[in-house]
Amino acid sequence: MKTFSATPADIDKKWILIDAEGVVLGRLASIIAMRLRGKHKATFTPHMDMGDNVIVINADKIQLTGKKRAEKQYYWHTGHPGGIKSRTADDILTGAHPERVVTAAVKRMLPGNRLSRKVMTNLRVYAGAEHPHEAQAPEVLDVKSMNSKNTRS
């Protein structure tokens, strides 16, 4: 039997809607990364963009375990000498762009190559409950019911 290798004609992409309210960040990010990459499909081919388009809503209501909300630091560098800066997860989640916490977690769970950068364009994260993708008729993926550890009260 020959090994199956998908071609662009074999790929069928779906739209998935995930509600992040009350879901633990790391567990959500690993599920999203798997869906974006296409590893949940039997026809997975490593060098092709086989994954689904994922819409995440309520990203501002994500949960972090332990003291991570207050102690987890996100670093960046301005490009100037001594220009390292940081913010806590709580600062970002209560700030203007809380969806960046989910985006960063998913991005860091993908390999750092050209394909992953292309795959990240299939992710759309929104802080609130509204999204402009109703025309795509996304299927709802209930992450809360997959495992009891996926949620925190």
Side-chain angles (χ1 to χ4, degrees), residues 9-42:
D10 297 329
I11 298 171
D12 66 331
K13 289 179 167 279
K14 294 180 183 174
W15 285 79
I16 306 290
L17 178 68
I18 298 175
D19 186 3
E21 185 175 359
V23 181
V24 176
L25 176 63
R27 289 176 168 269
L28 176 71
S30 65
I31 291 167
I32 293 171
M34 181 187 67
R35 290 280 172 165
L36 284 173
R37 193 76 206 282
K39 287 192 156 195
H40 64 289
K41 297 180 180 179

Side-chain angles (χ1 to χ4, degrees), residues 5 43 57 76 107:
S5 184
T43 59
I57 58 172
W76 71 96
K107 183 179 182 182

